[in-house]
Amino acid sequence: MRIADNGIGIPPGDLPHIFERFYRVDKGRSRVSGGTGLGLAIVQQIVVQSHRGTVHAESEVGKGTTIVIRLPLMQER
């Protein structure tokens, strides 16, 4: 699954940290204007811990960001 936007993108130096709890690329944003910084950390927990999948981000400043989620196929029991 690929989820993409055409927003401002994420600088390369911030990309390794976006799945950390409470991490915000724009340090000037408050919870009132920019969320808690938990969204991608929750996505990672669900995908990796609960479903043994993978999640990573691809981004280019000025062009947008794509989050790529891969889940293993379910086996019949």
Side-chain angles (χ1 to χ4, degrees), residues 25-46:
V25 172
D26 182 354
K27 308 296 188 256
R29 292 174 73 175
S30 69
R31 274 197 251 170
V32 173
S33 66
T36 61
L38 289 173
L40 288 175
I42 292 169
V43 167
Q44 185 179 49
Q45 283 290 112
I46 292 169

mmCIF file of all heavy atoms in Angstrom, residues 25-46:
data_model
loop_
_atom_site.group_PDB
_atom_site.id
_atom_site.type_symbol
_atom_site.label_atom_id
_atom_site.label_comp_id
_atom_site.label_asym_id
_atom_site.label_seq_id
_atom_site.Cartn_x
_atom_site.Cartn_y
_atom_site.Cartn_z
ATOM 1 N N VAL A 25 8.630 17.483 12.345
ATOM 2 C CA VAL A 25 9.624 18.081 11.466
ATOM 3 C C VAL A 25 9.673 19.584 11.697
ATOM 4 O O VAL A 25 10.747 20.165 11.833
ATOM 5 C CB VAL A 25 9.319 17.758 9.982
ATOM 6 C CG1 VAL A 25 10.238 18.537 9.054
ATOM 7 C CG2 VAL A 25 9.460 16.258 9.736
ATOM 8 N N ASP A 26 8.504 20.209 11.770
ATOM 9 C CA ASP A 26 8.421 21.656 11.997
ATOM 10 C C ASP A 26 8.325 21.905 13.498
ATOM 11 O O ASP A 26 7.261 21.781 14.095
ATOM 12 C CB ASP A 26 7.207 22.234 11.274
ATOM 13 C CG ASP A 26 7.084 23.744 11.423
ATOM 14 O OD1 ASP A 26 7.877 24.353 12.177
ATOM 15 O OD2 ASP A 26 6.184 24.315 10.784
ATOM 16 N N LYS A 27 9.435 22.249 14.116
ATOM 17 C CA LYS A 27 9.487 22.442 15.567
ATOM 18 C C LYS A 27 8.647 23.632 16.030
ATOM 19 O O LYS A 27 8.307 23.736 17.199
ATOM 20 C CB LYS A 27 10.933 22.644 16.038
ATOM 21 C CG LYS A 27 11.899 21.575 15.567
ATOM 22 C CD LYS A 27 11.565 20.210 16.121
ATOM 23 C CE LYS A 27 12.656 19.226 15.790
ATOM 24 N NZ LYS A 27 12.392 18.303 14.752
ATOM 25 N N GLY A 28 8.290 24.515 15.124
ATOM 26 C CA GLY A 28 7.502 25.680 15.469
ATOM 27 C C GLY A 28 6.016 25.403 15.631
ATOM 28 O O GLY A 28 5.272 26.244 16.123
ATOM 29 N N ARG A 29 5.570 24.218 15.235
ATOM 30 C CA ARG A 29 4.146 23.886 15.342
ATOM 31 C C ARG A 29 3.821 23.388 16.737
ATOM 32 O O ARG A 29 4.579 22.635 17.338
ATOM 33 C CB ARG A 29 3.770 22.820 14.317
ATOM 34 C CG ARG A 29 3.849 23.354 12.898
ATOM 35 C CD ARG A 29 3.626 22.285 11.889
ATOM 36 N NE ARG A 29 2.218 21.899 11.859
ATOM 37 C CZ ARG A 29 1.734 21.045 10.991
ATOM 38 N NH1 ARG A 29 2.514 20.494 10.093
ATOM 39 N NH2 ARG A 29 0.462 20.732 11.012
ATOM 40 N N SER A 30 2.690 23.804 17.243
ATOM 41 C CA SER A 30 2.236 23.343 18.544
ATOM 42 C C SER A 30 1.196 22.249 18.360
ATOM 43 O O SER A 30 0.758 21.981 17.242
ATOM 44 C CB SER A 30 1.621 24.502 19.326
ATOM 45 O OG SER A 30 0.405 24.895 18.711
ATOM 46 N N ARG A 31 0.774 21.629 19.452
ATOM 47 C CA ARG A 31 -0.280 20.620 19.357
ATOM 48 C C ARG A 31 -1.563 21.217 18.810
ATOM 49 O O ARG A 31 -2.313 20.545 18.119
ATOM 50 C CB ARG A 31 -0.549 20.000 20.731
ATOM 51 C CG ARG A 31 0.367 18.856 21.019
ATOM 52 C CD ARG A 31 -0.190 18.053 22.146
ATOM 53 N NE ARG A 31 0.652 18.263 23.312
ATOM 54 C CZ ARG A 31 0.357 17.875 24.518
ATOM 55 N NH1 ARG A 31 -0.777 17.285 24.761
ATOM 56 N NH2 ARG A 31 1.173 18.086 25.504
ATOM 57 N N VAL A 32 -1.806 22.469 19.129
ATOM 58 C CA VAL A 32 -3.024 23.130 18.665
ATOM 59 C C VAL A 32 -3.025 23.243 17.143
ATOM 60 O O VAL A 32 -4.024 22.992 16.485
ATOM 61 C CB VAL A 32 -3.164 24.532 19.308
ATOM 62 C CG1 VAL A 32 -4.331 25.289 18.711
ATOM 63 C CG2 VAL A 32 -3.301 24.406 20.808
ATOM 64 N N SER A 33 -1.887 23.570 16.554
ATOM 65 C CA SER A 33 -1.844 23.789 15.108
ATOM 66 C C SER A 33 -1.276 22.624 14.312
ATOM 67 O O SER A 33 -1.399 22.612 13.094
ATOM 68 C CB SER A 33 -1.004 25.037 14.804
ATOM 69 O OG SER A 33 0.343 24.825 15.169
ATOM 70 N N GLY A 34 -0.653 21.644 14.982
ATOM 71 C CA GLY A 34 0.002 20.632 14.177
ATOM 72 C C GLY A 34 -0.019 19.216 14.676
ATOM 73 O O GLY A 34 0.799 18.410 14.262
ATOM 74 N N GLY A 35 -0.920 18.842 15.552
ATOM 75 C CA GLY A 35 -1.006 17.464 16.008
ATOM 76 C C GLY A 35 -0.023 17.139 17.111
ATOM 77 O O GLY A 35 0.708 17.989 17.610
ATOM 78 N N THR A 36 0.003 15.868 17.489
ATOM 79 C CA THR A 36 0.813 15.432 18.629
ATOM 80 C C THR A 36 2.139 14.805 18.231
ATOM 81 O O THR A 36 2.985 14.563 19.088
ATOM 82 C CB THR A 36 0.043 14.397 19.471
ATOM 83 O OG1 THR A 36 -0.226 13.258 18.643
ATOM 84 C CG2 THR A 36 -1.238 14.963 20.012
ATOM 85 N N GLY A 37 2.318 14.477 16.969
ATOM 86 C CA GLY A 37 3.531 13.782 16.555
ATOM 87 C C GLY A 37 3.456 12.291 16.837
ATOM 88 O O GLY A 37 4.479 11.622 16.941
ATOM 89 N N LEU A 38 2.250 11.756 16.964
ATOM 90 C CA LEU A 38 2.084 10.329 17.257
ATOM 91 C C LEU A 38 1.597 9.503 16.068
ATOM 92 O O LEU A 38 1.688 8.290 16.088
ATOM 93 C CB LEU A 38 1.088 10.146 18.412
ATOM 94 C CG LEU A 38 1.593 10.566 19.775
ATOM 95 C CD1 LEU A 38 0.465 10.503 20.790
ATOM 96 C CD2 LEU A 38 2.743 9.700 20.211
ATOM 97 N N GLY A 39 1.085 10.136 15.037
ATOM 98 C CA GLY A 39 0.452 9.411 13.939
ATOM 99 C C GLY A 39 1.301 8.325 13.308
ATOM 100 O O GLY A 39 0.888 7.164 13.231
ATOM 101 N N LEU A 40 2.490 8.667 12.851
ATOM 102 C CA LEU A 40 3.328 7.667 12.179
ATOM 103 C C LEU A 40 3.904 6.658 13.158
ATOM 104 O O LEU A 40 4.155 5.504 12.784
ATOM 105 C CB LEU A 40 4.439 8.350 11.376
ATOM 106 C CG LEU A 40 3.939 9.061 10.118
ATOM 107 C CD1 LEU A 40 5.080 9.823 9.452
ATOM 108 C CD2 LEU A 40 3.311 8.088 9.141
ATOM 109 N N ALA A 41 4.090 7.044 14.419
ATOM 110 C CA ALA A 41 4.535 6.084 15.437
ATOM 111 C C ALA A 41 3.459 5.025 15.657
ATOM 112 O O ALA A 41 3.757 3.831 15.793
ATOM 113 C CB ALA A 41 4.869 6.799 16.743
ATOM 114 N N ILE A 42 2.197 5.436 15.655
ATOM 115 C CA ILE A 42 1.092 4.488 15.798
ATOM 116 C C ILE A 42 1.005 3.584 14.570
ATOM 117 O O ILE A 42 0.822 2.371 14.695
ATOM 118 C CB ILE A 42 -0.228 5.241 16.034
ATOM 119 C CG1 ILE A 42 -0.195 5.919 17.419
ATOM 120 C CG2 ILE A 42 -1.431 4.302 15.920
ATOM 121 C CD1 ILE A 42 -1.321 6.898 17.657
ATOM 122 N N VAL A 43 1.151 4.157 13.384
ATOM 123 C CA VAL A 43 1.148 3.357 12.153
ATOM 124 C C VAL A 43 2.233 2.290 12.231
ATOM 125 O O VAL A 43 1.993 1.116 11.940
ATOM 126 C CB VAL A 43 1.351 4.250 10.907
ATOM 127 C CG1 VAL A 43 1.658 3.417 9.669
ATOM 128 C CG2 VAL A 43 0.140 5.126 10.683
ATOM 129 N N GLN A 44 3.430 2.675 12.636
ATOM 130 C CA GLN A 44 4.531 1.719 12.723
ATOM 131 C C GLN A 44 4.227 0.600 13.719
ATOM 132 O O GLN A 44 4.473 -0.572 13.439
ATOM 133 C CB GLN A 44 5.829 2.427 13.107
ATOM 134 C CG GLN A 44 7.019 1.481 13.093
ATOM 135 C CD GLN A 44 8.300 2.184 13.449
ATOM 136 O OE1 GLN A 44 8.347 2.901 14.430
ATOM 137 N NE2 GLN A 44 9.316 1.961 12.649
ATOM 138 N N GLN A 45 3.676 0.945 14.874
ATOM 139 C CA GLN A 45 3.321 -0.072 15.867
ATOM 140 C C GLN A 45 2.325 -1.067 15.297
ATOM 141 O O GLN A 45 2.480 -2.277 15.454
ATOM 142 C CB GLN A 45 2.732 0.578 17.119
ATOM 143 C CG GLN A 45 3.743 1.209 18.018
ATOM 144 C CD GLN A 45 4.605 0.178 18.709
ATOM 145 O OE1 GLN A 45 5.794 0.083 18.438
ATOM 146 N NE2 GLN A 45 4.032 -0.601 19.569
ATOM 147 N N ILE A 46 1.298 -0.577 14.641
ATOM 148 C CA ILE A 46 0.271 -1.457 14.089
ATOM 149 C C ILE A 46 0.843 -2.347 12.995
ATOM 150 O O ILE A 46 0.649 -3.569 12.997
ATOM 151 C CB ILE A 46 -0.922 -0.637 13.549
ATOM 152 C CG1 ILE A 46 -1.656 0.032 14.715
ATOM 153 C CG2 ILE A 46 -1.865 -1.510 12.723
ATOM 154 C CD1 ILE A 46 -2.673 1.071 14.293
#
